[in-house]
Amino acid sequence: MKSLFRQTSLALLIGTAALVTSVQAQEFKAGFVNTDRIFREANTAKTAQAKLEQEFARREKELVDIGNSLKSATEKFEREAPTMAESQRTTRQRQLVDQDRDFQRKRREFQEDLSARKNEELAQVLERANRVVKQVAEAEKYDVILQEAVYINPKHDITDKVIKALNAAK
């Protein structure tokens, strides 16, 4: 029994040594992709940004108009307040507070909707980019591709290749 255990251990040790030697003989190839650059420079990301701007432009303009109107109404109130009756001044102040609260709510909803849609669009861009990264990695025999790192030597940066492939993949 001990003999069998020793033979198995020896065979395992020899196999492990052979595996380690063959792994060391092969070159380990690593790459890096800068996702921020992809979000800024890839055509798919630019298209997504333009789509969002078009989709939210009307609501943004409405908010700007409401904000300007509220500002004008507040300035008018401040000019006329000294000559108003107390009850009129109180009523007008409440109206302005209500309008401001409504404006703040609409602005917050706009920001939440925009943020949610932006996340959806960026997720689609990232999904496409990840497929392209995988294709580049397989084609060029990379062992690992990193998307975040504290430091990366520029010679390992494959972001340009990924952006070119993304732009060509339409």
Side-chain angles (χ1 to χ4, degrees):
M1 183 79 152
K2 286 185 176 182
S3 170
L4 179 62
F5 180 73
R6 284 184 186 157
Q7 288 176 349
T8 305
S9 296
L10 184 60
L12 205 66
L13 183 64
I14 291 171
T16 304
L19 181 63
V20 168
T21 304
S22 75
V23 169
Q24 287 177 341
Q26 297 175 1
E27 184 179 323
F28 182 78
K29 192 170 180 183
F32 170 75
V33 174
N34 185 331
T35 52
D36 289 337
R37 274 193 54 212
I38 290 173
F39 287 147
R40 282 191 320 267
E41 299 174 20
N43 289 343
T44 53
K46 291 176 183 177
T47 301
Q49 183 63 33
K51 182 179 174 182
L52 287 172
E53 288 172 5
Q54 182 180 9
E55 186 176 327
F56 285 90
R58 183 185 55 78
R59 280 179 65 189
E60 185 175 29
K61 184 184 180 321
E62 287 174 5
L63 280 173
V64 168
D65 291 345
I66 291 170
N68 290 337
S69 174
L70 184 60
K71 182 180 176 185
S72 296
T74 302
E75 290 170 353
K76 181 180 178 187
F77 171 75
E78 288 173 357
R79 282 192 312 270
E80 296 174 353
T83 61
M84 291 180 163
E86 183 66 31
S87 62
Q88 193 180 18
R89 187 173 32 241
T90 304
T91 302
R92 191 74 182 108
Q93 260 183 324
R94 280 191 197 125
Q95 289 173 341
L96 287 171
V97 168
D98 289 344
Q99 288 174 352
D100 185 57
R101 188 178 308 121
D102 187 48
F103 171 67
Q104 297 300 331
R105 179 186 52 78
K106 286 180 180 179
R107 193 168 69 179
R108 190 172 43 255
E109 288 173 354
F110 172 80
Q111 289 299 327
E112 289 170 358
D113 292 347
L114 177 61
S115 184
R117 282 289 294 123
K118 188 174 184 177
N119 288 340
E120 289 172 12
E121 291 294 327
L122 290 179
Q124 290 176 358
V125 170
L126 187 60
E127 184 180 319
R128 287 185 197 123
N130 284 339
R131 282 196 305 265
V132 169
V133 167
K134 187 175 180 184
Q135 291 169 355
V136 169
E138 289 172 352
E140 297 189 17
K141 309 266 190 270
Y142 280 91
D143 295 306
V144 67
I145 302 291
L146 304 172
Q147 288 184 328
E148 290 189 34
V150 174
Y151 170 78
I152 193 75
N153 186 325
K155 73 179 182 180
H156 298 293
D157 191 345
I158 64 166
T159 305
D160 288 332
K161 291 177 186 177
V162 172
I163 290 172
K164 285 176 188 171
L166 259 175
N167 291 346
K170 285 277 172 169

